[in-house]
């Protein structure tokens, strides 16, 4: 790296700051005005290629073997990186950190860009064509990688092998009475693509001061209409307190090209499985560069952390009765890191619509979207509502007979209300499964 006086660096940097660029102060002709200019760039790092030492063919990382494997001659090559777990390197929010950070993938790769959804993934240079794992489109084109993005500091390697997932995904697709049974035969089984997805992790210590009116319930007796009765009364008092909340490894997805709902269903990942970043783990696999910048990811994390702090403060009140709540939160010891996590993706068509399936490449957990057999759903809803409707109608017709008709009407109304609640639950569950 160039020998630069770090004391002249400015954080936050001037508008238009590019993460890889370090700014240094330059002479100014106007008193009181400071001018910064980009420092000279460092030499480009030599990238690596992964070839079999025995036959010269391209080798790939094998999830089942946990090492580089040649598909041509069967030769293997071990990766010597250490398992670092949650002790993986973290960084502070300073310009010096950005100056020390490494960039690019560290191996020879190029990008395939989907013309339909805009997702871009890094692949080996000998990959000619591909189907977009994010939307299923075949309209992709290749481009050179600029190398201006940060390099991950750690990753969790793929553990679950693609071949072992077929029966598991088939079982998931065919599960549930409200889905078409022919889902077991969809092409998603043969099109699962392993992609390392980008994630930011954030650490912070939050000191939150709160103030609110806190209610204490008590029971009192009172006299009304000639008899003594009891009632619950809330006594309100202003209270205040302070909560200290350490947050470690708060995950924020570094891409907006996957459903956050589905992603949430295949988590968690065991971050104890993190290993120091080694380009060999990417050999033969796709890797998604982040499209959610560090600063945007940090803003999302701060908002989620504030919600955690608010819940902790509400808990600190010791009461379920809180009003006029106010909180101020201070963040300290803020750190971040950029990691890759393994996910299998597939997008499959069904009746002129596309649905996405996602599998956790570390645990094998499956989640995604599945079409709904709405005829089945409406028939079940009708079956739930029918008893209440029929009994209520019978009650109406027999009201002239006296008490029997009234009882039938009341029971019919109760069954109808219960049926409506059940129908709403089923309908919401069906919609959630289809729109995840």
């Amino acid at each position: 790296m160039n020998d630069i006086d770090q004391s002249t660096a400015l954080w936050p940097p001037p508008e238009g700051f590019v993460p890889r660029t370090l700014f240094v102060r330059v002479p100014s002709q106007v008193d009181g005005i400071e001018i910064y200019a980009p420092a000279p760039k460092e030499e480009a790092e030599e990238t690596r290629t992964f070839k079999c030492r025995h036959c010269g063919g391209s080798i790939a990382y094998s999830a089942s073997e946990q090492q580089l494997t040649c598909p041509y001659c069967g030769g293997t090559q071990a990766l010597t990186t250490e398992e670092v777990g949650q002790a993986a390197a973290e960084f502070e929010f300073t310009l010096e950190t950005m100056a020390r950070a490494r960039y690019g993938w560290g191996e020879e790769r190029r990008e395939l860009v989907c013309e339909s959804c805009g997702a871009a993934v890094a692949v080996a240079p000998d990959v000619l064509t591909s189907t977009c794992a994010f939307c299923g489109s075949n309209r992709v084109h290749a481009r050179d990688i600029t190398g201006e993005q940060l390099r991950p500091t750690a990753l969790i390697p793929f553990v679950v092998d693609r071949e072992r997932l077929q029966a598991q995904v088939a079982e998931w697709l065919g599960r549930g009475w409200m889905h078409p049974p022919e889902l077991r035969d969809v092409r998603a089984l043969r099109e699962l693509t392993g992609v390392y997805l980008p994630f930011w992790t954030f650490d912070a210590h939050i000191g939150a001061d709160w103030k609110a009116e806190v209610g204490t319930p008590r029971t009192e007796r009172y006299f009304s209409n000639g008899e003594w009765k009891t009632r619950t009364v809330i006594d309100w008092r202003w209270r205040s307190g302070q909560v200290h909340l350490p947050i470690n490894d708060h995950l924020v997805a570094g891409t907006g090209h996957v459903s956050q709902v589905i992603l949430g269903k295949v988590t968690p990942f065991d971050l104890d499985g993190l290993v120091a970043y080694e380009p060999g783990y990417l050999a033969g696999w796709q890797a998604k560069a982040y499209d959610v910048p560090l600063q945007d990811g940090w803003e999302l994390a701060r908002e989620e952390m504030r919600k955690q702090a608010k819940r902790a403060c509400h808990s600190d009140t010791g009461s379920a009765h809180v009003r006029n709540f106010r909180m101020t939160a201070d963040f300290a010891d803020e750190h971040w890191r950029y990691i890759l996590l393994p996910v299998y993706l597939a997008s499959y068509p069904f009746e002129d619509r596309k649905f996405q399936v996602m599998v956790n490449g570390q645990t094998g957990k499956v989640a995604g979207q599945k079409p709904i057999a709405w005829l089945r759903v409406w028939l079940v809803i009708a079956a739930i509502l029918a008893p209440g409707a029929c009994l209520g109608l019978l009650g109406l017709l027999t009201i002239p007979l006296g008490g029997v008709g009234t009882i039938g009407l009341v029971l019919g109304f109760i069954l109808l209300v219960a049926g409506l609640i059940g129908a709403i639950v089923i309908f919401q569950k069906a919609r959630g499964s289809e729109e995840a």
Side-chain angles (χ1 to χ4, degrees):
M1 178 181 294
N2 300 294
D3 185 14
I4 296 173
D5 180 7
Q6 298 293 328
S7 64
T8 63
L10 177 66
W11 187 265
E15 185 177 356
F17 167 68
V18 179
R20 194 175 186 180
T21 305
L22 178 66
F23 286 82
V24 295
R25 187 180 298 160
V26 297
S28 172
Q29 303 298 320
V30 181
D31 292 338
I33 300 296
E34 295 180 350
I35 299 177
Y36 290 81
K41 291 186 178 180
E42 40 181 301
E43 298 267 337
E45 180 184 10
E46 183 179 355
T47 58
R48 297 164 56 187
T49 58
F50 292 91
K51 300 292 183 182
C52 177
R53 64 182 63 171
H54 304 290
C55 69
S58 296
I59 56 177
Y61 174 76
S62 169
S64 58
E65 299 291 334
Q66 298 287 290
Q67 59 185 341
L68 294 169
T69 304
C70 178
Y72 306 103
C73 70
T76 61
Q77 180 179 332
L79 293 169
T80 57
T81 55
E82 62 175 328
E83 187 171 292
V84 293
Q86 298 188 49
E90 296 179 326
F91 304 100
E92 296 179 318
F93 286 89
T94 63
L95 188 58
E96 289 85 350
T97 292
M98 292 300 184
R100 294 195 306 268
R102 306 179 77 179
Y103 293 79
W105 295 108
E107 65 162 335
E108 187 179 351
R109 297 180 78 81
R110 63 174 184 163
E111 278 188 333
L112 291 180
V113 184
C114 177
E115 297 178 2
S116 296
C117 70
V121 292
V123 297
D126 55 355
V127 174
L128 299 179
T129 60
S130 178
T131 299
C132 178
F134 298 88
C135 71
S137 172
N138 291 317
R139 298 174 56 196
V140 296
H141 67 271
R143 71 182 182 191
D144 293 333
I145 295 179
T146 62
E148 291 295 329
Q149 285 209 328
L150 290 166
R151 180 177 302 177
T153 58
L155 59 82
I156 293 178
F158 276 90
V159 176
V160 181
D161 188 72
R162 183 187 292 106
E163 302 305 320
R164 291 168 45 198
L165 292 176
Q166 292 191 4
Q168 189 173 340
V169 176
E171 190 276 332
W172 177 83
L173 284 170
R175 188 191 308 159
W177 63 267
M178 65 179 61
H179 304 292
E182 56 268 32
L183 279 182
R184 289 179 180 270
D185 302 321
V186 299
R187 290 179 56 83
L189 301 178
R190 299 184 295 274
E191 295 179 353
L192 284 169
T193 302
V195 183
Y196 283 101
L197 293 183
F199 282 83
W200 304 105
T201 76
F202 298 100
D203 295 350
H205 186 279
I206 302 177
D209 296 299
W210 63 268
K211 184 177 182 181
E213 284 188 276
V214 179
T216 302
R218 60 181 175 85
T219 302
E220 68 174 14
R221 299 183 67 204
Y222 68 100
F223 192 78
S224 176
N225 297 327
E227 62 178 336
W228 286 97
K229 301 179 180 179
T230 60
R231 62 187 175 190
T232 300
V233 178
I234 306 296
D235 294 327
W236 295 96
R237 292 185 179 178
W238 281 100
R239 289 183 55 195
S240 61
Q242 188 177 64
V243 169
H244 295 280
L245 187 65
I247 297 180
N248 296 313
D249 292 324
H250 184 90
L251 274 179
V252 174
T255 178
H257 285 282
V258 294
S259 165
Q260 300 301 307
V261 175
I262 301 176
L263 192 58
K265 290 180 179 179
V266 300
T267 55
F269 291 88
D270 181 7
L271 297 187
D272 286 334
L274 283 169
V275 300
Y277 177 75
E278 158 60 50
Y281 287 108
L282 273 58
W285 301 82
Q286 295 187 10
K288 178 76 180 71
Y290 59 85
D291 49 70
V292 176
L294 171 60
Q295 195 61 35
D296 292 349
W298 174 231
E299 291 302 321
L300 289 172
R302 279 175 62 95
E303 185 60 32
E304 293 168 357
M305 290 178 183
R306 282 183 60 85
K307 292 178 182 178
Q308 293 184 43
K310 186 175 181 180
R311 290 193 293 269
C313 289
H314 270 277
S315 179
D316 191 50
T317 65
S319 174
H321 306 281
V322 179
R323 67 185 185 186
N324 296 323
F325 177 85
R326 283 172 281 180
M327 180 191 78
T328 58
D330 294 323
F331 289 74
D333 299 326
E334 301 149 328
H335 292 81
W336 62 273
R337 62 183 164 205
Y338 170 35
I339 64 175
L340 299 178
L341 300 180
V343 170
Y344 287 101
L345 296 174
S347 181
Y348 67 94
F350 192 89
E351 295 182 352
D352 300 325
R353 295 181 60 190
K354 285 193 175 181
F355 301 87
Q356 191 175 69
V357 177
M358 191 179 300
V359 185
N360 187 315
Q362 182 189 34
T363 65
K365 188 175 182 181
V366 184
Q369 301 165 305
K370 292 193 285 187
I372 299 299
W374 284 107
L375 179 59
R376 289 186 177 189
V377 173
W378 291 122
L379 287 175
V380 170
I381 289 176
I384 292 174
L385 296 176
C390 291
L391 191 57
L393 181 60
L394 183 62
L396 283 174
L397 295 176
T398 56
I399 280 181
L401 300 179
V404 175
T406 303
I407 293 174
L409 186 62
V410 172
L411 289 177
F413 177 77
I414 293 173
L415 287 175
L416 188 60
V417 171
L420 282 172
I421 294 174
I424 291 172
V425 170
I426 291 174
F427 181 77
Q428 293 294 342
K429 183 177 180 181
R431 285 191 57 188
S433 177
E434 191 174 48
E435 298 176 359

